[in-house]
């Protein structure tokens, strides 16, 4: 059926869709705070090195594998390696996006709730201390779940060109405009530049092994690697497309948005409280978005009035919501493509099956914040009780993601083989042949990148589940 496979309509369409996948909650909140706490400019430098030296080659490997096989990730592994143990890697790259979509949906549902509340005059409530805890355990989240599921269904039911690509072409430019407008506004506030200084001035003494590990994990997640997304999107690409060129554009876009988000969050924090110690900011993006930032927006009412502050807050939450929707679309497309490829189901039927299964799991994890006791304290490991939501994050996001990355690298170089990989990239970019980039990509994907990812995987397993640190970082 590969001759009839859907395709992106244009190069720009692909770049916006892939950037839509890459730009997410991680860029807008996780990155700025991580950077500010871990050495500012020094962290930015390490992050950029991780993107260029370690993530770009993996992106290229995933996209080429998808474009060559014209299949979803499971189909890509099996069409090259048949019934061999590589199937396991195929299954992992199917189950991982499914489960990550579940936890990401929960956060997206909350975001929509915050957009609606900020827009309808409830910013003061959002900034109150108990609101978040009450909100996530309220029945209104079911309404927001239904709305998010409908939006995702409508986008994905449209298919690659009329759904994914079209949504990205509308949402991504809007996202850029909102982001730039907010950055300009925030930089005009009193004390904003203290935040910029804190964010950008490098402090190399903060760079430790664990900061480097954190930067790599952040970059890897941010570029949507190890989730089968780029294999799937690659399968919708035209063979004439210049893969290294497109890859660089997507990475640039993703990193640019992450960087700009820092120029929004930190100045906002400093103008709220000039004596703030950013070391004390929470590591968790969730508590920053939902409990800390509403307070900052509300404080703007001193200068802008309540309506003005609400407009800024609504714009911010909408920005993050758009980023989350385009990421969710890309991740749910992976199991959708699998059902369509492997079972020959129609797009709508596949989406309905996923809607029901994923919907149930999403409800279960949304209830694991106290509302249902046994889901909240589902198991104990490494000395602490973990909720269903925690388990999904620990297992799929923290642990399996780097493993998937290592496996795809090894598969491309040693099973599919280097020459086939190179041929695929050269198809759209004949100048790639013999370049330093080609040699670097072949060498890194075949050696140190999978080794690093594998070590991260082993270390995370030891740490998360057994409470021991194997590698002193
Ligand atoms: N790049 C996304 C982010 O930064 C990660 C992601 C992609 C999450 C796709 C879910 C789905 O948030």
């Amino acid at each position: 059926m590969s001759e009839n496979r859907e395709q992106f309509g244009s190069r720009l369409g692909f770049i916006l869709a892939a950037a839509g996948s890459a730009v997410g909650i991680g860029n807008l909140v996780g990155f700025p705070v991580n950077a500010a706490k871990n050495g500012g400019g020094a962290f930015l430098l390490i992050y950029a090195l991780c993107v260029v030296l370690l993530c770009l080659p993996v992106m290229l490997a995933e996209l080429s594998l998808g474009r060559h096989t014209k299949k979803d990730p499971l189909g890509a592994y099996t069409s090259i390696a048949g019934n061999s143990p590589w199937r396991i890697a195929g299954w992992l790259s199917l189950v991982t996006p499914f489960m990550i979509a579940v936890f990401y949906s929960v956060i997206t549902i909350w975001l929509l709730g915050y957009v609606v509340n900020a827009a309808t005059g409830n910013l003061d409530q959002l900034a109150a201390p108990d609101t978040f805890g009450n909100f996530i355990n309220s029945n209104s989240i079911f309404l927001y779940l239904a709305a998010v599921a409908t939006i995702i269904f409508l986008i994905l039911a449209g298919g690659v060109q009329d759904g994914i690509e079209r949504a990205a072409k509308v949402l991504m430019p809007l996202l850029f405009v909102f982001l730039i407008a907010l950055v300009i506004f925030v930089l005009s506030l009193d004390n904003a530049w203290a935040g910029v200084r804190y964010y950008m001035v490098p402090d190399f003494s903060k760079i430790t092994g664990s900061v480097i590990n954190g930067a790599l994990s952040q970059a890897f997640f941010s570029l949507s690697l190890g989730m089968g997304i780029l294999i799937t999107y690659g399968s919708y690409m035209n063979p004439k497309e210049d893969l290294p060129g497109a890859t660089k554009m997507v990475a640039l876009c993703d990193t640019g948005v992450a960087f700009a988000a820092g120029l929004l969050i930190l100045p906002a924090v400093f103008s709220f409280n000039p004596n703030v110690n950013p070391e004390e900011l929470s590591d968790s993006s969730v508590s920053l978005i939902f409990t800390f930032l509403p307070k900052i927006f509300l404080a703007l009412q001193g200068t802008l009035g309540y309506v003005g502050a609400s407009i800024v807050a609504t714009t911010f939450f909408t920005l993050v919501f758009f980023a989350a929707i385009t990421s969710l679309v890309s991740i749910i497309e992976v199991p959708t493509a699998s059902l369509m490829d492997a079972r020959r189901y129609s797009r709508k039927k596949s989406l309905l099956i996923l809607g029901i299964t994923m919907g149930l799991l999403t409800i279960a994890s949304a209830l694991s914040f106290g509302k249902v006791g046994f889901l909240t304290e589902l198991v104990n490991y490494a000395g602490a009780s973990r909720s269903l939501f925690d388990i999904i994050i620990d297992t799929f996001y923290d642990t399996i993601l780097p493993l998937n990355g290592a496996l795809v690298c090894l598969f491309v170089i040693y099973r599919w083989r280097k020459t086939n990989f190179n041929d695929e990239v050269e198809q759209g970019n004949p100048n790639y042949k013999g370049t330093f980039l080609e040699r670097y990509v072949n060498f890194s994907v075949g050696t140190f990148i999978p080794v690093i990812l594998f070590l991260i995987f082993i270390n995370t397993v030891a740490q998360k589940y057994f409470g021991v640190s194997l590698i002193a970082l």
Side-chain angles (χ1 to χ4, degrees), residues 18-28 47 97 100-101 103-105 218-225 227 229 254 323-332 397 401:
S21 170
V23 171
I25 300 167
N27 301 58
L28 294 172
Y47 183 86
I100 289 185
F103 94 73
Y104 214 78
S105 297
Q218 172 85 29
F220 200 79
F221 178 68
S222 188
L223 289 166
S224 304
L225 299 174
M227 308 189 205
I229 293 175
D254 184 60
I325 285 287
T326 47
S327 295
L328 258 188
V329 160
S330 72
I331 205 161
I332 297 177
Y397 166 47
L401 221 51

Side-chain angles (χ1 to χ4, degrees), residues 234-301:
S235 77
Y236 303 139
M237 280 178 95
N238 187 315
K240 297 203 188 68
E241 204 59 79
D242 166 17
L243 286 179
T247 310
K248 282 181 216 157
M249 284 301 296
V250 174
L252 202 66
C253 208
D254 184 60
T255 311
V257 169
F259 176 73
L263 295 177
L264 164 63
I265 305 279
L266 288 146
V269 170
F270 272 81
S271 91
F272 170 66
N273 174 5
N275 302 318
V276 71
N277 176 7
E279 297 289 331
E280 281 156 23
L281 289 179
S282 162
D283 270 323
S284 129
S285 298
V286 165
S287 70
L288 276 160
I289 300 179
F290 297 105
T291 60
F292 188 69
L293 291 176
K295 280 191 264 176
I296 294 194
F297 295 130
L298 185 64
L300 290 173
Q301 67 179 340

Side-chain angles (χ1 to χ4, degrees), residues 5 36 56 72 82 108 136 138 162 166 176 181 193 201 215 244 255 309 333 348-350 373 395 468:
R5 197 173 189 77
L56 275 179
D72 67 294
T108 310
I136 62 178
S138 69
D162 292 336
R166 208 156 83 187
F176 296 141
W193 290 91
V201 172
T255 311
E333 176 63 11
K348 290 219 171 80
K349 180 169 177 188
S350 310
T395 314
V468 282

Side-chain angles (χ1 to χ4, degrees), residues 171-445:
L171 295 178
M172 292 308 286
L174 274 175
L175 185 148
F176 296 141
V177 171
F178 285 3
L179 180 61
I180 293 169
L182 282 175
V183 168
I184 294 175
F185 167 70
V186 165
L187 289 181
S188 72
L189 296 173
D190 287 345
N191 266 312
W193 290 91
V196 176
R197 223 167 298 132
Y198 196 91
Y199 174 49
M200 303 215 348
V201 172
D203 177 358
F204 282 95
S205 70
K206 294 245 178 80
I207 301 299
T208 60
S210 83
V211 168
I212 297 176
N213 184 359
L216 175 58
S217 307
Q218 172 85 29
F220 200 79
F221 178 68
S222 188
L223 289 166
S224 304
L225 299 174
M227 308 189 205
I229 293 175
L230 294 179
I231 302 181
T232 310
Y233 275 17
S235 77
Y236 303 139
M237 280 178 95
N238 187 315
K240 297 203 188 68
E241 204 59 79
D242 166 17
L243 286 179
T247 310
K248 282 181 216 157
M249 284 301 296
V250 174
L252 202 66
C253 208
D254 184 60
T255 311
V257 169
F259 176 73
L263 295 177
L264 164 63
I265 305 279
L266 288 146
V269 170
F270 272 81
S271 91
F272 170 66
N273 174 5
N275 302 318
V276 71
N277 176 7
E279 297 289 331
E280 281 156 23
L281 289 179
S282 162
D283 270 323
S284 129
S285 298
V286 165
S287 70
L288 276 160
I289 300 179
F290 297 105
T291 60
F292 188 69
L293 291 176
K295 280 191 264 176
I296 294 194
F297 295 130
L298 185 64
L300 290 173
Q301 67 179 340
T303 38
L304 297 179
Y306 189 67
V307 173
S310 301
I311 293 176
V312 173
T314 308
T315 313
F316 176 79
F317 288 120
T318 310
L319 163 76
V320 188
F321 178 66
F322 284 174
I325 285 287
T326 47
S327 295
L328 258 188
V329 160
S330 72
I331 205 161
I332 297 177
E333 176 63 11
V334 179
T336 310
S338 290
L339 285 176
M340 287 164 55
D341 285 352
R343 305 251 150 176
R344 302 271 182 263
Y345 289 165
S346 71
R347 189 169 260 285
K348 290 219 171 80
K349 180 169 177 188
S350 310
L351 284 169
L352 282 176
I353 294 174
L354 288 170
I356 294 168
T357 47
M358 228 175 237
L360 288 175
L361 257 176
T362 303
I363 291 175
S365 16
L367 296 176
S368 75
F369 292 87
K371 204 161 166 124
V372 175
F374 95 94
L375 294 171
T376 309
E377 292 183 7
L378 198 56
V379 285
N380 262 303
Y381 51 76
S385 94
R386 312 293 284 159
S387 70
L388 178 62
F389 185 84
D390 296 332
I391 298 168
I392 295 178
I393 294 194
D394 286 350
T395 314
F396 292 94
Y397 166 47
D398 280 325
T399 312
I400 309 253
L401 221 51
L403 175 66
N404 285 347
L407 290 174
V408 84
C409 291
L410 297 174
F411 183 75
V412 162
I413 298 290
Y414 300 108
R415 184 65 186 83
W416 182 33
R417 300 233 171 257
K418 224 186 293 197
T419 50
N420 296 322
F421 172 33
N422 292 336
D423 286 347
E424 183 60 43
V425 183
E426 283 159 20
Q427 251 197 73
N429 181 346
N431 298 333
Y432 181 67
K433 200 179 177 74
T435 54
F436 172 74
L437 180 65
E438 183 180 59
R439 273 177 283 144
Y440 176 75
V441 169
N442 283 329
F443 179 70
S444 60
V445 176

